[in-house]
Amino acid sequence: MKWPASRGAWAAWILIGVPLAVFTVWALADNAKLYLTTLLNSLTLASLYFLVASGFTLVFGLMRNVNLAHGSLYLFGAYVGWMVGEHSGSWVLAVAAGFLSAAVIGLLLQLLVFRHMQGQDLRQTLVTIGISIVLADVMLWIWGAEIYTFEPPAWMYGSTTLPLVEKFPTYRIAVFVMAALIGLALWWFLARTRVGMMIRAGVDDRAMLAASGVNVQLVFALTFAIGAGLAGLAGVVGGTALSVSPGEDTRYLLASLVVVIVGGMGSVVGAAIGALLIGLAEQFGLAYAPTYSVVFTFVIMVVALAFKPRGLMGKAA
């Protein structure tokens, strides 16, 4: 039996939302401080996942390019940002360097790889897996297996007093605000600007867009560079909140895949919803059921795909 699209969406939302609502009522009654602290940690993690996945949803979800080297762009941006931050002493310059370095690598990937493999998903997958392995080894050779950390700006350092939770790291609050602003800017860029309309039109009908006089390759290269740059930016932001070390590329690639699959391919709003659900699942799982914490993420993904195969906010191509 095939579920109608609207009925499947409602079923997915109900099966995910009702258990969350019931758990919220119980957790608040049991220990409100623990619940609210875990909720804030979930929002921080979700913000970081969204920063990485927002670039991934541009490249994979919107442009239909299977870039499994996206996690490597995150790690590369983090390492370059760390070097710039160490030499300049400026966190803002480190963020800019992380964005620009990853954007340049992404631009090269589009021009040298994806431009010649459009629509060849299997070839894109295999080639980008190979690229990610090579980049991981190169970064390990250059920066070693050490763990690097960033110092946040002075105005983000320390903690902020919040009701019930008491003290919470100011930087984590800043990450949430930053992710919200970037998400709104990205949505506006795609939905309200001429370039955003060109991007969406090129994905739907590349030949027609080219016939109208638009340089499709230039538009796609710009999109890929922005998506890759967001991964590099997230590398510096995430490295400041947590740390930078080998293996983070794989972790954030998998997180981006899950976020885009759950939220819906090509949807910025879907990426935000998917990141929020995965962040909640991971943090509340660790706080309340650490033995089974990894299971909750996959339960959400299974439910979303079972009733809404294109993701919660996904639409037919």
Side-chain angles (χ1 to χ4, degrees), residues 219-281:
V219 172
F220 275 33
L222 173 65
T223 307
F224 209 104
I226 293 173
L230 286 172
L233 181 148
V236 179
V237 173
T240 310
L242 303 170
S243 62
V244 182
S245 61
E248 293 293 288
D249 50 346
T250 303
R251 173 189 174 185
Y252 285 99
L253 171 64
L254 293 175
S256 298
L257 277 169
V258 174
V259 166
V260 171
I261 289 171
V262 171
M265 293 176 61
S267 171
V268 176
V269 176
I273 293 173
L276 178 60
L277 289 174
I278 301 308
L280 289 170

Side-chain angles (χ1 to χ4, degrees), residues 72 75-84 86-87 101 135-148 244-246:
S72 299
L75 192 56
F76 181 76
Y79 279 133
V80 172
W82 178 83
M83 289 181 61
V84 172
E86 281 291 297
H87 287 86
S101 60
L135 285 177
D137 286 342
V138 169
M139 288 186 285
L140 185 62
W141 171 56
I142 296 174
W143 288 285
E146 299 170 8
I147 297 176
Y148 298 94
V244 182
S245 61

Side-chain angles (χ1 to χ4, degrees), residues 77-123:
Y79 279 133
V80 172
W82 178 83
M83 289 181 61
V84 172
E86 281 291 297
H87 287 86
S88 67
S90 171
W91 185 81
V92 175
L93 285 179
V95 172
F99 179 90
L100 291 174
S101 60
V104 169
I105 298 297
L107 183 61
L108 291 175
L109 282 175
Q110 168 62 20
L111 295 177
L112 300 177
V113 178
F114 290 100
R115 182 177 180 178
H116 307 288
M117 298 183 182
Q118 193 63 40
Q120 302 177 46
D121 295 347
L122 181 58
R123 287 186 67 192

